[in-house]
Every structure is written in structure tokens, then in C-alpha cells.
Amino acid sequence: MGLTIAIQKSGRLHDDSIKLLKECGIDIANGVNKLKAEASNFPIEVYFLRDDDIPQYVEDAVADIGIVGENVVYEKNKKVEVVEKLGFGKCRLSIAVSRNEKYDEHSNYLEGKRIATTYPHIVQKYLDEKNINAEIHEISGSVEIAPGIGLAHAICDLVSSGSTLFMNGLKEVETILQSQAVLIKHKGLGAEKQQILDKLLFRFQAVKKAKNNKYILLNAPNENLAEIVSLLPGMKSPTVLPLAETGWSSVHSVLSENEFWDNIERLKAAGAQGILVVPIEKMII
């Protein structure tokens, strides 16, 4: 018995979902316009669905698991379990108003206003939490034009760079939800399928850790070795190997990219030379 996973058949999460599965060593032959495909080397079958439908399919156990944006999970409000945040497809659900409007989050600006959105459930929950009485206009697309044509005073929509808002004369004023791709599962998943899911999660996590970390190699003068090692904590401690040239050692470590950039100037000041930063394909801890 294999696992079934639902992913977007098209859209912003499709390519990244397929890429993640391939990075996990799962070979999927996805022909043009195919609605499902079976992996040749892992007990999993992929369904290609509309993103809005994925939570329903998982709740109904038509698909055991699915990859979908958090915004869709919370908007559809289905009985599914979020088991892993996947680190791609990051965006935010935000309130936006005309650039000419004076907006103060403490002034109760939205009271009595009309808000256009494709996320009425999330927006209503936000309004209830803020004790704001506003009218929600649910529309299926082109939310950004609503203020310009007089349909609404504000919108609530997904934002990545903000360029679409800018081109439509809008400004982002408040974020109500941070979103990224997540893995969801059916709450009644059986033990056999859970074992397969655990193996899949192990692979997902190995790929995620690899993307967030880099393999660092550098040459260090022995007199400054202790200082340089202290700047490279790594997973446990760096590997130090003697070089052919007397008085020098090669230092190898794994650390997050942010830690590296924070310490690069101090490493150079301590005498580190020949610094190499190498991407990691998989990382098992």
C-alpha cells in the first residue's frame, strides 16, 4: 500500500513541489496534462489538483497528504493536520489601501469599510479578533482593481514583492498572515501509510537542512587556530587537518549561511585564507 500526495497541477507551488520530490531522490514521470503519476522508486502516487481543492481531498482521504500554501489551509478550514513547513512559496496575506489614504492601524480605519478579498474566512477571523465591523466582498480574481473601481475601500490579498500593489496605486498597510508551503495529512492516516510518510519527512528534512547550511573550508595559521575554530561552531566542532606547509591547518565546518556571513570579517581578521563555501545536497543529523 503506497502513499498518495496531492500537489498543484499548475501555479506558484507546482514547480517547487516537484523539485522537492526530485531532490529527495523520488523519480516522478509527469507528462503534459496528466492528473496523476506514480513514482518508480518510492511508494507514492502524485495527484495534480487545483490548490483550493487540495485540503478537501486530504480531509476526505482521497489523497493521504498534500502540499499547499498555509493561506489555503486556513481559508478552507478543513480537518487536516499540518505536519511540516517546507520553506518555499513564502508570501504574506496583507491589507492594502489606496496610496492616497492615510492609514493608522490604531485608528480603526477599517470600521464600516468594504474589503475585497478571495480569503473571506481569514479576513473575517481577523476582523473578529480586532472587534472591527466591516463588510467583506468575496471576489475570485483581480482583487487589486477593487478600490480603483469603487467596489471596496481596501483589499486583502497575497503579497510577495508588492509590485502588483504598487502598479495598481495601492500600499500595503498590515500583514494578517505569513504563509509558506506546508505538508498536510489526513487525520486518520493508518500505521502503514504513516511509516511511509515518516520516511518521506526524513528526506524532506534532510533537503531543508542542506539548503540552510553550507560546507565551509578554509586555511588557518596555527597561532590563530583557536580563535578561528571558535568562530566556526558547526554541528559539533570543526574538523582540523594539518597542511603540507608547516604552521598551517585546514579547517572544515558546516554552519548556517547567516552565521557564516556574520563571521566572515572576523575570520579574515584572524588570518583565515582560501575560504570556500560549498553547497550541501543532503544533510543527515
Side-chain angles (χ1 to χ4, degrees):
M1 181 185 297
L3 202 65
T4 54
I5 180 172
I7 67 172
Q8 282 187 355
K9 64 180 179 181
S10 62
R12 63 190 185 91
L13 299 186
H14 171 83
D15 291 344
D16 284 335
S17 298
I18 292 293
K19 181 182 177 184
L20 175 60
L21 292 172
K22 289 183 176 179
E23 287 174 336
C24 291
I26 299 173
D27 186 17
I28 297 168
N30 178 21
V32 177
N33 295 325
K34 285 185 67 175
L35 296 180
K36 65 178 182 177
E38 192 170 346
S40 60
N41 58 351
F42 192 85
I44 195 168
E45 188 174 26
V46 182
Y47 295 163
F48 300 98
L49 306 172
R50 289 181 64 253
D51 58 341
D52 287 351
D53 294 336
I54 291 175
Q56 183 70 64
Y57 274 76
V58 174
E59 180 186 67
D60 293 341
V62 175
D64 300 312
I65 59 175
I67 296 177
V68 69
E70 284 180 282
N71 54 296
V72 176
V73 176
Y74 298 133
E75 177 59 33
K76 297 303 178 182
N77 197 31
K78 301 300 180 182
K79 296 176 182 178
V80 298
E81 181 181 340
V82 175
V83 292
E84 184 79 11
K85 294 190 175 186
L86 300 176
F88 60 83
K90 292 184 178 180
C91 58
R92 56 196 181 274
L93 188 63
S94 294
I95 302 287
V97 299
S98 171
R99 282 205 301 270
N100 299 324
E101 290 288 332
K102 293 182 179 179
Y103 182 90
D104 181 352
E105 62 178 316
H106 302 297
S107 67
N108 219 13
Y109 172 89
L110 295 173
E111 182 68 30
K113 299 291 197 303
R114 296 189 303 273
I115 305 170
T117 186
T118 56
Y119 299 94
H121 176 79
I122 295 175
V123 173
Q124 188 61 62
K125 183 178 179 183
Y126 168 79
L127 294 174
D128 291 344
E129 289 172 352
K130 297 286 187 177
N131 294 316
I132 297 172
N133 183 23
E135 183 181 348
I136 296 175
H137 279 248
E138 182 180 359
I139 54 180
S140 58
S142 302
V143 177
E144 296 86 0
I145 70 170
I149 62 175
L151 178 64
H153 301 94
I155 70 166
C156 185
D157 201 16
L158 289 182
V159 179
S160 294
S161 67
S163 60
T164 303
L165 294 180
F166 181 81
M167 288 188 294
N168 284 276
L170 302 175
K171 62 182 178 181
E172 184 179 2
V173 293
E174 197 160 345
T175 296
I176 66 175
L177 175 69
Q178 294 287 350
S179 178
Q180 63 177 287
V182 293
L183 184 71
I184 60 174
K185 76 167 186 175
H186 175 60
K187 287 192 171 183
L189 200 64
E192 186 176 346
K193 290 189 175 184
Q194 183 63 49
Q195 287 183 343
I196 301 173
L197 175 56
D198 290 342
K199 292 178 181 179
L200 183 63
L201 282 170
F202 179 80
R203 297 191 185 195
F204 280 2
Q205 290 160 2
V207 170
K208 281 175 59 183
K209 289 186 181 78
K211 288 181 178 178
N212 293 331
N213 290 273
K214 295 292 184 286
Y215 191 68
I216 310 298
L217 305 89
L218 57 85
N219 296 329
N222 287 346
E223 64 267 23
N224 295 340
L225 194 55
E227 180 183 355
I228 289 173
V229 165
S230 72
L231 296 172
L232 296 169
M235 289 184 293
K236 289 187 178 178
S237 64
T239 300
V240 179
L241 301 170
L243 291 179
E245 183 177 346
T246 303
W248 284 82
S249 295
S250 175
V251 181
H252 300 216
S253 187
V254 173
L255 69 164
S256 75
E257 197 162 12
N258 287 337
E259 286 178 322
F260 171 76
W261 289 114
D262 288 343
N263 289 336
I264 183 64
E265 294 300 330
R266 282 182 283 177
L267 286 168
K268 290 172 63 178
Q273 297 181 8
I275 303 172
L276 299 179
V277 182
V278 183
I280 302 171
E281 184 175 328
K282 307 288 187 299
M283 185 170 167
I284 314 299
I285 297 178

